Amino acid sequence: MSNLAIVTGAAGGIGLTVARLFAERGCHVLMSDIDQDRLEAASIGLVSAGHSITTMVADIAKRTGCEALVERAAGLGNLTILAHVAGDYTKAAIAELDDATWDRMLDINLRSTLHLMRAAADRMAATGGGQIVNFASIDAYRAMPTLAHYAAAKAGVVSLTRSFAAEYGPKGVLINAVAPGPVATERAKREGWLAKYIPDTPLRRSAEPEDIAEVAWFLVSPANRCITGETVVASCGLVMV
C-alpha cells in the first residue's frame, strides 16, 4: 500500500508542487485547502496524470478543521506523512498591528501547526509511526519590519517543531520543518519582491517551488532515518548574509 500523505495549502504555489511531487513518488495524497474552486482545479491535472488524489476543503485556522482533516485521512488508510504547507501573511507596521491581525497570523501559521501536528502525530504513533514536515520561513530568523506578527508565528513553528520532535520521537514519529527564503511562486512574482532579495543571496537566484518540495520530500522519505527536530533553511544562502 502506498504512503498516505496530507498536504495542506495544496491549491497552488509550493503546496501544489509538494502534492504533485509526493504523488509522483507514489503517495496517495489528500490535498487540502480552504479555496474549493482552486483546490478542485489543481487536483484535476494530477488525477488526469494518473496520480492517487483525494481532496478536502478545510479551514486549518480552526482546531476543528485540523482534526477533521486528520480524521478524513484516517478513513482513507494509514496516515504516514503530513506536509503542513498552508500559511499566509499580511503586512502591518507594529504601531498599526491590531489584535485581529495578530490573532489571524497566529491562527493560520502557528495554531494550525499545533493542532495538525498533535492530531497527526497521535494517529501516527498509534499506527506504527510517520513523518511530519512543517513550513516555517527564514523570516523566523530575521528582523522583519511590517511582518513582525508573521515572523513571530514562523519562529513559533520552528520551536514547536523541535518540542514535538522530542516528545514524539520515542513513538516513531520524525518531525522537521523547512524554512524557505525567496521562492519564485506566482504570488512572489505578482508582488514583485523577488528582485529585492535575489542580489543578496550568494547563489544570486531564488528557489523554485520544486526545489523546496524536494527538501520536504527528503525529510518525509525513507531516506531520512535520523533527522528530527530540525528546520532546514532553503534560502539560496540568504540567511548567511
Side-chain angles (χ1 to χ4, degrees):
M1 181 180 293
S2 63
N3 287 319
L4 173 59
I6 294 173
V7 179
T8 66
I14 296 173
L16 175 55
T17 306
V18 169
R20 181 185 298 113
L21 180 66
F22 284 20
E24 290 172 351
R25 301 285 163 86
C27 295
H28 178 96
V29 180
L30 174 54
M31 299 172 61
S32 176
D33 203 277
I34 198 170
D35 189 325
Q36 182 171 4
D37 291 341
R38 290 183 68 226
L39 181 62
E40 292 302 324
S43 69
I44 289 172
L46 299 185
V47 172
S48 298
H51 299 308
S52 183
I53 300 293
T54 302
T55 61
M56 178 178 175
V57 175
D59 183 358
I60 52 87
K62 299 178 180 178
R63 178 176 180 170
T64 53
C66 295
E67 293 175 347
L69 181 58
V70 173
E71 282 297 316
R72 177 67 183 280
L76 296 172
N78 185 22
L79 176 63
T80 55
I81 295 172
L82 166 64
H84 180 26
V85 189
D88 198 9
Y89 64 86
T90 55
K91 291 187 176 182
I94 291 173
E96 301 166 356
L97 183 57
D98 56 36
D99 288 348
T101 303
W102 174 264
D103 288 344
R104 182 172 181 273
M105 285 298 96
L106 262 65
D107 287 343
I108 293 173
N109 295 296
L110 184 55
R111 287 194 180 95
S112 64
T113 305
L114 167 65
H115 296 316
L116 274 172
M117 272 205 295
R118 183 160 53 192
D122 283 344
R123 180 76 60 175
M124 292 172 180
T127 55
Q131 293 170 302
I132 295 173
V133 58
N134 297 312
F135 271 68
S137 167
I138 61 166
D139 294 347
Y141 302 97
R142 306 189 302 164
M144 292 300 298
T146 75
L147 286 171
H149 47 319
Y150 173 77
K154 290 301 188 179
V157 171
V158 172
S159 178
L160 202 59
T161 295
R162 187 180 298 117
S163 295
F164 262 74
E167 190 161 336
Y168 282 89
K171 302 175 183 180
V173 185
L174 280 71
I175 304 174
N176 293 286
V178 181
V183 183
T185 61
E186 291 305 313
R187 180 176 184 179
K189 294 174 184 176
R190 184 172 63 250
E191 296 183 1
W193 54 263
L194 287 176
K196 176 182 177 181
Y197 294 107
I198 288 175
D200 291 331
T201 65
L203 298 185
R204 299 297 190 267
R205 60 180 289 261
S206 62
E208 295 296 326
E210 292 78 7
D211 299 325
I212 306 303
E214 287 284 2
V215 176
W217 171 253
F218 170 76
L219 292 173
V220 301
S221 75
N224 177 25
R225 299 190 302 161
C226 62
I227 299 173
T228 195
E230 300 292 345
T231 297
V232 178
V233 176
S235 68
C236 296
L238 183 57
V239 159
M240 293 193 298
V241 298

